[in-house]
Amino acid sequence: MIDSRPVCDYEGSNYQSEFWDRGERDYEDRAEQIALRALLPKSGRMFLELGAGAGRQTPLLSAFDHVVLLDYSRTQLAQARARLGGAGRYTYVAANVYQLPFAPGAFDAAMMIRVMHHLVDAPAALKEIRAALAPGATFVAEYANKQNVKAIARYLLRQQSWSPFAPEPVEFVKLNFDFHPRAMRQWLAEAGFIIERQRTVSHFRSGLLKRLFPASVLAAADGLFQPTGDWWQLTPSVFVKTVVSSQRSEVRDRKSEGEGREAGRVEDILRCPQCKGGVSRDGDTLFCADGHRWGIHDGVYDFKDLI
Ligand SMILES: [Zn+2]
């Protein structure tokens, strides 16, 4: 069955050009890059970028042998492909985060930036991501923090009804959620992730400051404050670096998976998202033993809709 949870779909949107290229978010973009450079592993084999969009942050992953860009939107992936190139280091996959089309333990690192706030069921997504990661793998995740200074001030001044201190998520716009750091840490732990570091990002997200100071200066200042995220989280955006906990049986699984993959192709880690069975390729069609069929269009593995 196709997963029925609602997904925020950027299909056909000009998110990259409107929000990032012309959206005066140079400061946020630079601040994110500082956080990611501090948190991402310095090298690795297979990297999974969840919600890669048009590939805005993908160039930061140059130390990895191979990067799989996953997004729910085919048109976002088409933009990423036009920007980064079709063959070689990159693979483009359209799929639902609640039904990932990958073999267990297929990746040794992953990141998910500016995606969590669109997830109606973040704990389920985290468990699905965890399954695609090998024991000891690094996962860097970003989430929108409801317990930020602006929300606290508005709440105390009675300009906002919801409490920034309560653990439950707040949906401030349809399919846009802010989370409490304590809840997020609990979900990560329940999914099998061990938090190593936390970085608070966008300390200076204010129109006035952005007009007064160049983005590079504000971002550099933000970078100085980011490590305080290990102690408190009061910014609108929080980055966490986690590792997948290692358990003996899983290490054995990974070994057997890895052995079959050593000289393999990227397609060897693809699985049918519905039954998790292996897939075979026939021209531009992938099919599993249960008869599910998926298309490959313009260099994108399309697991969004059955064909
Ligand atoms: Zn199947």
Side-chain angles (χ1 to χ4, degrees):
M1 273 209 6
I2 294 276
D3 194 275
S4 60
R5 278 169 282 219
V7 175
C8 187
D9 194 348
Y10 280 82
E11 201 75 78
S13 94
N14 44 12
Y15 170 74
Q16 178 66 33
S17 58
E18 291 294 316
F19 192 87
W20 289 109
D21 298 343
R22 283 201 298 273
E24 294 179 357
R25 286 188 168 77
D26 196 20
Y27 157 64
E28 281 85 354
D29 192 43
R30 287 167 182 263
E32 278 186 15
Q33 287 181 24
I34 291 170
L36 286 172
R37 287 207 173 91
L39 299 179
L40 286 169
K42 299 305 170 218
S43 66
R45 202 169 48 86
M46 283 290 279
F47 194 98
L48 172 61
E49 185 180 3
L50 295 134
R56 180 176 60 96
Q57 302 290 28
T58 313
L60 290 176
L61 306 172
S62 58
F64 284 81
D65 297 344
H66 200 92
V67 178
V68 173
L69 289 87
L70 182 132
D71 205 276
Y72 193 61
S73 158
R74 303 178 189 101
T75 52
Q76 290 291 307
L77 290 169
Q79 287 180 39
R81 190 162 174 267
R83 171 188 295 206
L84 301 166
R89 288 187 58 239
Y90 300 112
T91 300
Y92 303 89
V93 175
N96 187 329
V97 71
Y98 301 116
Q99 289 185 317
L100 292 176
F102 304 117
F107 297 91
D108 52 6
M111 73 174 180
M112 185 166 78
I113 310 304
R114 288 182 179 258
V115 173
M116 198 88 79
H117 65 280
H118 290 315
L119 300 182
V120 70
D121 193 348
L126 291 172
K127 284 173 188 157
E128 185 73 358
I129 294 163
R130 159 72 182 79
L133 291 170
T138 298
F139 174 48
V140 175
E142 183 273 348
Y143 64 91
N145 174 20
K146 72 184 289 194
Q147 187 184 252
N148 63 72
V149 170
K150 198 184 279 182
I152 293 170
R154 286 173 56 85
Y155 179 68
L156 295 179
L157 294 170
R158 305 193 177 211
Q159 291 174 357
Q160 168 188 297
S161 58
W162 52 269
S163 166
F165 308 112
E168 69 275 2
V170 57
E171 187 173 23
F172 57 96
V173 174
K174 188 166 172 54
L175 282 179
N176 281 263
F177 302 89
D178 282 352
F179 302 98
H180 195 285
R182 206 166 53 237
M184 187 57 64
R185 286 193 289 268
Q186 185 182 333
W187 294 339
L188 284 163
E190 285 167 3
F193 295 104
I194 300 162
I195 294 178
E196 283 198 332
R197 289 164 69 190
Q198 300 173 79
R199 278 202 161 222
T200 39
V201 174
S202 285
H203 290 78
F204 309 115
R205 190 181 290 174
S206 123
L208 177 64
L209 287 175
K210 286 204 263 186
R211 281 192 296 279
L212 286 175
F213 299 100
S216 57
V217 172
L218 273 192
D222 196 71
L224 295 177
F225 282 95
Q226 287 177 8
T228 61
D230 277 334
W231 303 306
W232 56 79
Q233 302 87 32
L234 298 170
T235 51
S237 175
V238 178
F239 282 56
V240 285
K241 178 183 186 180
T242 70
V243 291
V244 173
S245 63
S246 310
Q247 284 168 17
R248 203 172 223 178
S249 61
E250 288 167 336
V251 172
R252 201 163 52 235
D253 290 347
R254 177 200 185 190
K255 224 175 191 173
S256 54
E257 284 275 343
E259 279 163 9
R261 253 194 349 257
E262 281 310 324
R265 305 152 301 151
V266 171
E267 282 184 12
D268 294 340
I269 65 165
L270 295 179
R271 294 290 181 274
C272 174
Q274 292 211 10
C275 65
K276 298 287 181 186
V279 286
S280 304
R281 182 170 181 169
D282 178 17
D284 281 341
T285 303
L286 295 172
F287 58 93
C288 72
D290 282 2
H292 302 124
R293 294 160 61 83
W294 312 94
I296 305 168
H297 309 295
D298 301 324
V300 175
Y301 292 93
D302 189 349
F303 293 101
K304 202 167 161 178
D305 296 302
L306 287 160
I307 55 172

